[in-house]
Structures are given as structure tokens and as C-alpha cells.
Amino acid sequence: MNQKKKIAHFGLWESHLDSEAILTKGQEPNYPFQYKGCLYWLQNLSGAHSGKTVLCKVIDEEGQARSEIITPLSFDVSTNFNIRTRVNEYGGKCFCIIDDYFIFNNYQEGSLYAQKIRHDTTPATDVHWIGKYRYCKKLKGRDLPIKLAEWNNQPIPGFADLLISPDGQWIVAVMETPSDESGSYCQIVKIRWQLNTSGEPDLQRIETLISGADFYANPVIFSDGSKMSWIEWSHPNMPWDRTRLMCADLDLNESRPVQNEIRIIDRENWSVCQIGYLNNGDLLFISDNPECDFWNFYQYSSKGELKQITDEEGEFGEAHWQFGQSRWKERSDGIIVAIFTERDGDRIIELNTKTSEIHSITHQHAALNQMSLSDDGILLCMAYYENRPSSVVRVKHLGLDEIDIEREERNNFDHTPCPEFIEFPTSKGEKAYGLFFEPMNPEYEGISSHLPPLIVMIHGGPTGRSSRMYEGIRHHYCSLGFAILDVNHRGSTGFGRVYRQSLNGNWGIDDCEDIAAGIGYLVEKQRVDPELVFIRGGSAGGYAVQRALTQHNDLFCAGASYYGIGNLITLSEITHRFESRYTDQLIGEEFDAVRARNPDSRYTQRSPVFDMDRLNCPLILFQGSEDKVVPPELSHEVVRILKSKGIHHAYYEFAGEGHGFRNKTTKLTALTHEVEFFTNIIREKRGVS
């Protein structure tokens, strides 16, 4: 017999979910790869080691598969290993493997380390458990990481996009170091790989391969070692605005290893990503440009001929925020296996570059990324679902084979809200997109005379994208009786170059108009309560929260800003180098510290701190003390103004957190405060004690 549901005000239901277990984002596996028959991946830990990223593998112990942590764990700063990088602040893939050594960037000081990978099962002594991960507490000296390379004996942001030369003698990587002139300096470097008489690597000198541009990414070397390609770009461009695709002759053993550089692509409004050499020596890459609105495949032959391979209204590429988000691989039969993004999901396709024929080998997923191909032909990637956390999967000719990795999942994902893809008209005769979620809780139903409150969620970037992939915070809010609108405003990725670039010069205007239009669309359809509309977002999404609350103040009853931007002038003066000119592009005015403070400057006109008189609803703010992208001063400035004007607000700053909270306790604390902040407003408006 079905249990009768409780009737209560929307937004005030008791959640049926484990509040800790919903915070899976940032705790999922990353960068899976297979080496000598073993499955490895990076894992972000929770609990006492929360915020730390370690290498894991599946081992077979007495016929039972176990997930084992390989990276040594310690609270001692001198031996505290964390596989992350701060290159461009957003980091990404920062490891490679050679001769049974795992080479990785250590987040602590930005040095390279090499750890021996053993293929025997670790003895069962001195073992304990971290969640469901098995860990040997006492590693032998030969199993501890050895420092391979460091820069001038001082901390640096570190290394990214590591690869091994075809002859196995060199490591090539993107490196970022401090610079007195610009704050940081980026280059492509090489590091000798060799083992001493004891069979261990020695500390090596870092040698510059390529320098001169502001930024570098995606170095690749042809299989015979004779040529190398890479992507570079310079201010004021971001990598999705304009990049240069470069190629050169290569001999890593020479004093001048890179010669005869060629600019394959260096054109206005052309961006290039996801480059790689094919087995035949041709260079395959992905570009969007004025001739091809979406990120499609191009091929540059060894004879110097350039041609477009695909012409699909979908994306094979993505905005370069992080390193190593690999989206295609070439199989031994010459067929390309690639991730294809459509407006409401991803699928994997096979591409014949000779005929341009495409056919799907999987159905649509919420999202897919991080492809890897092992020497024995095993193709792996990460798969994301709309109703449960992500999985590592094998890619086969006829679909995906999910790999069971032990994880602690305490939630019941049977009652997960299904996203509804919507599009709606907005200003200038344009349209925008969003994902709509209705309230869902197996134990509750709302009062029939009321409509549910709405939470508008805004992604970051603003060159980001909201997808159908499972998001625990959305699930949690729906279980409390809220409806959700996750907006893909103009400027979002996944809808073509024109849509993405349309926000340039219009940031703080078009995105906010799309937010207002989305709310109006749902109100007109009588799907949400117009008197109970909340808004939340982080980073650029936090800016959109503050901007929308001051420009469309009649629409909202409260907002939550996570490491958001209140003052574009302050941001431009103190943010990190990667995005230091991004604001110029977005608002359409080159930053000048004096000019920006004039009342008619776009920096002043579009900074929410100067419009706080128009804010007429409560605002809660969250900030990390170590944030280098949106430093704490930006939140402090907003809080000072809110206090001076007597506007109801709350502020929480978390020690040790950067841009995007990693510690699970931090995330749970912030969410608890946010929910309480919002539900108190519902209680007040509904007259509920």
C-alpha cells in the first residue's frame, strides 16, 4: 500500500536525501586511464583528507575487486602530495606515465614528482580504509614519490599537459612560473627522463622549448618525434576567442630543439582546440570560426593542405578552461571516436576522416569527457547521468560498458527530478535556453492553491554551460519543494560561436535580460510563484546574481552569491593573469584604472556595488580566503556597502578555500546556511512559524 504523502508548503518540505551524500560534485573520479592491464584514475578525497587529489587503481584481492589509493597520504607539509596544478588557476590534467613511473605535479609547491607504480597486490598488513578506498599506511621507501624537477627552488603554479616524447627520453609540459612584470609567465618546457644505476630518476634541469606568447596549451608530438604542434594565444584574447595553431620541426636532443615554426591558423575570430597527430602524420584539430559556427573537425595534411572534415550543428570541442579535457582519439583502424555535444546532451560518434561519415555508437548522455586510449586499444572516458553520479566507462563499437568503482553512495537516486529543456524569447529578438526541474519528493506534495518557489541557477564563466548531468544541489532543492531554472544565457558554451560570443560587450546586460526572460516565461506558463523567486550562482554566476538583483530587482525575493564579482574595477586590478583581460572583452572597454572610475565608464556602470541602492531584497554571500580568481576583497567591498546601507545580508568566508569550494564540510556548511536563508523568507511570506 502506498503511504499517503504529507501536504506542506512548497519549499518547506523535509528532504529525503542525505545532505552530505548529495555533495558529490568534485568528489567524482577524473582522468581514467589503463596501463598494463590495470585501471587507474584520479580521486578527490573527502573526510580528513578533503580537497586532496590522489591516484587510485583497481586491484584484485582474493577474487574481489578493491579500489586502492596509490598516492602517499600525510598531514606533514614536507610529504603532503596532492595531484593538482594551478596553471591558469583552473588547472586540469597534470600527469603522465612512463617506465612504470607515474609523473605528476604536486599542488603544494608546483614541482614534478615520480612515483613507482607496482603491479603486484599490496600486502594486507598496515592497511586501513578511507571511505571505501583501501590504503597501505606504510609504503616502502622505493614506493614514495621522488622529486623530478623544480623551478629555482621556489613554489610556482606548476606544470600541466604533460606528455612523453616518442623515444621515451623527455617529458614535455606547459609550465607557469612567477614573473615580476606580469605576475606569471607561461612556456612549454622539456625535462630529461632517465633512470640512474639504482633504477630511480634523478632531479633534472628544466629547459625552455617554446616561449614568447602569453599562454600555451595542448603540445603534441608526432610518433616519429620529428615534429611538434601546440596552441598559443595572447592578451586580450581568451582561448575561445582567438588562438594560434603552431607547428615546427623538432629534435629534442639538439641545442635548438624547435625550428622552422609555422602558423597553421592565426586568423581573426578563429579558435582552435583539441589538437593531435593522426597515424598518417596529418594534424587533426577542432575549430569554430566565422565560416563554421560550431566547433567542428579540421585536418591539416603533411603536405600543408587545410580542409574542414565535419559541418555539424553541435560541438566537438569545448572552451579551454582546464587542461587535458580530451574529446577524441584515433583507433588503430584509423577511425576517430569523438564526443559530440548537442544542446541538451552528449553522445559518442565514429568519424571517418576520409569520407566525413559520422554515426553514433552511444545514445545521448547528460555529459561525457576525458577520453583516454591505452596501448592495447582500451578506450575510456567519464560518463555523466541526469539521475546519479558519474562513472568511468569503456567505449565499445556498440556503446558504453560501465566500470564498477567502489564509492560511498548513500542516497536513493530513484526520485531524481528530470530536466526539461526549454527555450524562450529574450531581448533583441533572440532566444535563450535553460533546464527546468519541478519539485520532487516521494514523501511530500505541495498545497494545491500555491505554486512552487523558483530558484534560478547561473553557471560560471560566463563561458560555461549548464548540462543535464546530476547535480546534488539541484536534487536537494527539488526535494525541499523548489522548482529550478538552470539558465544557459547568451554567452554560454554549446550553442555555437555566435551565441557564445554574443555576450562580448554585453556582459551584465544580455545575460541578465535572459535571466529575467526565463523567469517571465515560467511565470506566464503558471509553473512557479512569481512572489518567491530566488537566484544563486558562483564566480561569473555570482556577478550575474548581484547584477540581476540590482537591475531586475522587482523579480527576486533573495539571492546567494558565491565568490561573486561586485566591482569590475577591483576585479581587473587584482585578478589572476589568465582572466586579467577577459573583462575587457566581456564589457567591451579596455581597462584603464583612471578612466574606469568615471561615471560613464562601463566598468562603473556595470558594477553592482554602485547600484546597491536598487537592491531591495536580502543577499547572502560566500567566499574562499585563498581565492586568486575572485579575491576576498571583492566580497568584502560588497559587504561593507550592504552594512552601510542597512541591507539585510549574511556573509561567510572559509579559510583555506580557493575559487570553487573543495572541502566537503565547507560545501555542506554553505548549503545549510543558504537553505536556511531562503526558507526563512518563505516562512515569513507564507506566515509559517
Side-chain angles (χ1 to χ4, degrees):
M1 181 180 293
N2 292 329
Q3 185 176 0
K4 188 175 180 180
K5 289 187 176 183
K6 303 172 187 175
I7 298 176
H9 287 282
F10 286 108
L12 300 179
W13 301 346
E14 293 183 10
S15 177
H16 62 290
L17 303 173
D18 183 315
S19 58
E20 287 193 39
I22 64 163
L23 297 171
T24 57
K25 193 170 185 179
Q27 306 297 326
E28 64 268 10
N30 270 296
Y31 304 112
F33 65 96
Q34 187 145 324
Y35 180 70
K36 292 190 175 180
C38 291
L39 172 65
Y40 294 84
W41 69 96
L42 297 191
Q43 182 65 49
N44 301 314
L45 298 180
S46 57
H49 294 280
S50 185
K52 183 175 291 186
T53 302
V54 296
L55 178 67
C56 292
K57 78 170 182 177
V58 171
I59 64 169
D60 185 272
E61 186 179 52
E62 299 178 352
Q64 183 176 4
R66 298 283 196 188
S67 298
E68 182 176 71
I69 295 173
I70 306 300
T71 308
L73 294 175
S74 172
F75 293 104
D76 182 353
V77 173
S78 63
T79 57
N80 191 10
F81 297 106
N82 188 356
I83 307 170
R84 289 177 57 200
T85 180
R86 281 186 45 232
V87 179
N88 293 350
E89 284 301 329
Y90 294 100
K93 187 172 180 288
C94 59
F95 67 85
C96 61
I97 194 163
I98 183 174
D99 294 340
D100 291 345
Y101 274 91
F102 180 72
I103 317 298
F104 66 93
N105 183 85
N106 188 30
Y107 186 76
Q108 185 72 23
E109 82 281 24
S111 296
L112 284 184
Y113 284 80
Q115 182 182 3
K116 186 73 172 178
I117 300 297
R118 304 201 173 273
H119 301 289
D120 55 338
T121 302
T122 305
T125 58
D126 297 318
V127 168
H128 70 166
W129 297 88
I130 297 176
K132 287 195 172 184
Y133 298 99
R134 183 178 183 272
Y135 175 63
C136 181
K137 289 189 286 186
K138 293 184 179 180
L139 294 178
K140 299 176 182 178
R142 61 183 181 175
D143 295 323
L144 293 172
I146 300 168
K147 185 175 287 188
L148 179 64
E150 63 182 1
W151 188 80
N152 290 351
N153 197 31
Q154 63 175 288
I156 63 172
F159 301 82
D161 263 356
L162 279 67
L163 73 150
I164 301 295
S165 63
D167 62 7
Q169 296 183 29
W170 297 92
I171 298 167
V172 173
V174 176
M175 181 181 76
E176 183 180 347
T177 62
S179 167
D180 293 337
E181 295 180 358
S182 61
S184 65
Y185 174 67
C186 197
Q187 57 185 304
I188 297 178
V189 300
K190 66 173 183 174
I191 298 136
R192 171 73 72 175
W193 172 255
Q194 59 184 11
L195 302 178
N196 59 28
T197 55
S198 301
E200 296 180 344
D202 291 322
L203 190 66
Q204 298 291 328
R205 184 165 61 95
I206 301 168
E207 302 177 54
T208 298
L209 271 181
I210 303 158
S211 63
D214 288 335
F215 302 98
Y216 293 94
N218 204 177
V220 292
I221 301 174
F222 183 49
S223 59
D224 68 359
S226 66
K227 52 186 177 180
M228 175 179 176
S229 288
W230 66 93
I231 296 169
E232 63 182 42
W233 68 97
S234 296
H235 286 315
N237 293 305
M238 296 299 286
W240 46 85
D241 295 324
R242 178 178 179 174
T243 52
R244 291 183 292 272
L245 174 58
M246 305 294 293
C247 179
D249 295 332
L250 182 70
D251 189 339
L252 289 168
N253 296 302
E254 291 292 324
S255 58
R256 290 184 58 210
V258 177
Q259 298 188 44
N260 304 321
E261 290 188 13
I262 300 172
R263 295 189 177 191
I264 299 173
I265 300 291
D266 184 15
R267 308 181 193 177
E268 191 70 28
N269 295 320
W270 277 62
S271 67
V272 172
C273 64
Q274 303 287 325
I275 71 173
Y277 280 107
L278 300 178
N279 294 330
N280 65 3
D282 290 354
L283 189 66
L284 191 69
F285 62 93
I286 295 169
S287 176
D288 67 348
N289 51 71
E291 300 172 13
C292 180
D293 186 31
F294 291 84
W295 267 312
N296 273 276
F297 277 106
Y298 285 74
Q299 190 169 349
Y300 181 76
S301 75
S302 54
K303 298 179 181 179
E305 299 170 344
L306 178 67
K307 67 174 181 177
Q308 184 175 337
I309 301 298
T310 63
D311 188 15
E312 301 295 315
E313 290 194 359
E315 311 276 32
F316 289 106
E318 64 178 18
H320 175 83
W321 282 102
Q322 290 187 307
F323 293 91
Q325 302 299 99
S326 179
R327 290 176 63 91
W328 68 266
K329 295 294 177 183
E330 182 186 19
R331 290 198 315 237
S332 58
D333 60 2
I335 296 296
I336 302 301
V337 181
I339 297 168
F340 181 57
T341 297
E342 298 167 293
R343 66 181 190 174
D344 55 352
D346 293 358
R347 54 191 168 97
I348 294 179
I349 60 94
E350 290 180 338
L351 166 66
N352 186 322
T353 58
K354 295 179 181 178
T355 65
S356 296
E357 284 186 275
I358 290 175
H359 73 269
S360 297
I361 60 175
T362 71
H363 63 286
Q364 196 175 73
H365 279 67
L368 298 158
N369 66 15
Q370 298 176 356
M371 274 193 170
S372 69
L373 181 64
S374 64
D375 291 339
D376 54 357
I378 302 298
L379 186 61
L380 303 175
C381 76
M382 292 300 305
Y384 301 83
Y385 310 90
E386 62 184 43
N387 58 355
R388 59 187 173 92
S390 60
S391 296
V392 177
V393 294
R394 291 187 183 92
V395 182
K396 297 186 174 182
H397 286 279
L398 299 176
L400 300 179
D401 177 21
E402 190 167 323
I403 299 172
D404 183 26
I405 293 178
E406 288 186 299
R407 285 181 298 178
E408 200 161 354
E409 293 179 0
R410 294 171 294 188
N411 263 325
N412 181 349
F413 295 99
D414 292 339
H415 302 282
T416 307
C418 295
E420 176 187 339
F421 183 87
I422 63 173
E423 60 179 67
F424 45 88
T426 186
S427 63
K428 302 175 185 176
E430 302 290 339
K431 61 182 176 182
Y433 309 97
L435 297 170
F436 180 69
F437 301 79
E438 291 188 328
M440 178 173 287
N441 186 317
E443 300 171 8
Y444 280 88
E445 62 182 49
I447 296 174
S448 59
S449 59
H450 292 161
L451 292 169
L454 174 68
I455 292 185
V456 182
M457 293 187 172
I458 314 298
H459 62 66
T463 313
R465 180 170 183 259
S466 298
S467 74
R468 294 189 294 114
M469 62 186 287
Y470 175 77
E471 170 58 74
I473 291 178
R474 288 192 305 215
H475 192 180
H476 183 62
Y477 267 119
C478 288
S479 75
L480 296 174
F482 287 85
I484 303 288
L485 173 62
D486 214 335
V487 180
N488 276 313
H489 53 71
R490 281 169 286 181
S492 301
T493 299
F495 304 90
R497 182 181 182 88
V498 171
Y499 190 81
R500 187 183 71 244
Q501 300 298 100
S502 67
L503 195 61
N504 284 354
N506 301 304
W507 192 34
I509 297 176
D510 287 0
D511 48 345
C512 291
E513 288 180 351
D514 293 352
I515 292 166
I519 295 168
Y521 174 84
L522 294 174
V523 168
E524 182 182 355
K525 299 289 184 182
Q526 297 186 342
R527 304 189 70 175
V528 297
D529 187 342
E531 301 300 318
L532 288 173
V533 177
F534 303 83
I535 185 170
R536 72 185 307 274
S539 191
Y543 168 71
V545 167
Q546 296 182 36
R547 181 75 174 158
L549 289 177
T550 55
Q551 299 306 301
H552 300 277
N553 53 0
D554 58 325
L555 294 180
F556 303 98
C557 60
S561 172
Y562 283 74
Y563 28 89
I565 304 156
N567 191 334
L568 298 173
I569 301 170
T570 306
L571 176 75
S572 298
E573 290 179 331
I574 66 176
T575 192
H576 66 136
R577 179 170 174 261
F578 178 62
E579 293 181 90
S580 62
R581 300 293 300 279
Y582 191 19
T583 306
D584 296 11
Q585 298 276 59
L586 288 170
I587 70 167
E589 179 182 318
E590 185 175 349
F591 179 72
D592 177 89
V594 176
R595 159 76 181 144
R597 288 171 165 80
N598 291 340
D600 62 343
S601 168
R602 292 184 179 186
Y603 284 87
T604 296
Q605 291 176 345
R606 298 195 198 166
S607 293
V609 291
F610 301 118
D611 282 331
M612 285 297 170
D613 286 335
R614 302 185 63 182
L615 182 67
N616 58 9
C617 68
L619 175 62
I620 186 170
L621 303 99
F622 302 93
Q623 178 69 48
S625 67
E626 302 301 317
D627 195 334
K628 300 296 189 296
V629 178
V630 181
E633 175 54 31
L634 281 114
S635 289
H636 296 169
E637 193 171 1
V638 174
V639 171
R640 286 195 296 268
I641 293 173
L642 294 174
K643 285 182 178 179
S644 68
K645 295 185 179 298
I647 298 171
H648 178 49
H649 69 282
Y651 177 65
Y652 298 92
E653 186 170 311
F654 298 95
E657 289 286 3
H659 195 67
F661 300 154
R662 295 181 65 86
N663 188 295
K664 201 168 187 177
T665 301
T666 298
K667 292 189 284 188
L668 180 59
T669 301
L671 180 61
T672 301
H673 286 308
E674 180 188 324
V675 169
E676 183 180 18
F677 196 78
F678 287 172
T679 53
N680 282 344
I681 291 170
I682 295 177
R683 293 179 189 280
E684 181 180 340
K685 286 186 175 289
R686 293 292 187 219
V688 179
S689 59

